[in-house]
Amino acid sequence: MSIPASSHDPPRTASTEPGECEWAALDTDAKRERLLRAAAEVFARQGLDAPMPAVAAAAGAGVASIYRQFPSKHELLAALVTRRFEQIADAARSAFAREGDCWSALTEMLWMLVEQEAADDFLGEARIAVAAHPDVITAIEQATGAFEQLLAGARAEGRLRADASMLDLRLLFAATRAAKHVEPQAWPRMLELLIDALDTDPSARARGSRQNRVST
């Protein structure tokens, strides 16, 4: 039987939700991670104009706490963008190192990244805002290098067209973002068309469709 809340009970906040540690009990790394997670959720809902106090509240922290971790919103956005590109670099390296062909690894990476963009579309705008930040530059260079390795492997297999480059992938991501604005549910069709344009084996395109990959 549930016990009704007393009128004297304190209001429940983000920091007192079940399963959440009290802010003061977290170490520095855990505080940083919680702030980054909260910031991603707030910016995804409210856009980059969302104030820092809103991020602090979503994390269950005080405003001073967020500024101890991130002296400005610019630094917070740079940390979010840096983390995303570090994740992309790690995923690309893992895809290249796994068993199997590089073409399949590449196309699965593209599906994963385009699907993620639906949840954190604000990062595209954030990347432009913090493009000159040293950490962002380094993270983008690392992600590009990891992707180039995957592209080279797919080219060597003869499945990826020989003139395909990172520029083509940037255009692919831009086109799928644009498709979402025209018709939110049309981006899978756009991505399939663009992957087909990179494929040198027309007879394998049907086998490489997303539907077949999901069903296996």
Side-chain angles (χ1 to χ4, degrees):
M1 180 176 68
S2 62
I3 300 174
S6 165
S7 60
H8 299 293
D9 290 339
R12 177 164 287 175
T13 65
S15 63
T16 58
E17 285 295 325
E20 290 285 355
C21 295
E22 292 290 347
W23 179 260
L26 300 176
D27 62 25
T28 300
D29 290 341
K31 288 177 179 178
R32 178 182 175 86
E33 180 58 31
R34 187 190 285 190
L35 286 169
L36 288 173
R37 187 171 67 247
E41 294 170 355
V42 170
F43 292 140
R45 289 195 309 267
Q46 303 180 28
L48 298 188
D49 289 333
M52 292 285 269
V55 175
V63 177
S65 296
I66 191 171
Y67 280 110
R68 277 193 289 270
Q69 292 278 341
F70 304 101
S72 66
K73 183 188 285 189
H74 185 84
E75 290 297 321
L76 175 58
L77 292 174
L80 285 168
V81 174
T82 296
R83 184 171 71 163
R84 171 44 57 87
F85 278 98
E86 288 174 346
Q87 291 169 342
I88 291 172
D90 289 342
R93 293 188 194 103
S94 296
F96 181 76
R98 77 177 197 184
E99 293 183 1
D101 62 282
C102 287
W103 169 258
S104 295
L106 172 63
T107 55
E108 288 170 12
M109 275 281 299
L110 294 177
W111 278 102
M112 178 190 73
L113 293 175
V114 173
E115 286 174 334
Q116 285 179 343
E117 283 185 344
D120 53 20
D121 192 49
F122 73 92
L123 281 176
E125 183 182 353
R127 176 186 174 180
I128 295 172
V130 298
H133 194 286
D135 292 346
V136 172
I137 292 172
T138 298
I140 290 175
E141 288 175 349
Q142 291 174 347
T144 299
F147 245 120
E148 289 282 13
Q149 189 177 39
L150 198 53
L151 289 172
R155 284 193 212 96
E157 293 167 353
R159 189 68 188 272
L160 177 68
R161 54 186 292 170
D163 61 347
S165 68
M166 282 300 300
L167 173 60
D168 296 309
L169 296 191
R170 289 196 293 270
L171 293 173
L172 178 149
F173 293 131
T176 51
R177 283 196 300 271
K180 292 174 188 176
H181 292 294
V182 174
E183 173 53 59
Q185 304 306 316
W187 66 264
R189 173 64 174 167
M190 174 61 74
L191 183 53
E192 285 182 350
L193 292 172
L194 295 170
I195 289 176
D196 281 354
L198 297 172
D199 193 351
T200 62
D201 187 358
S203 65
R205 289 177 182 173
R207 297 196 305 273
S209 69
R210 181 171 186 258
Q211 289 76 10
N212 287 342
R213 287 201 304 276
V214 171
S215 66
T216 58

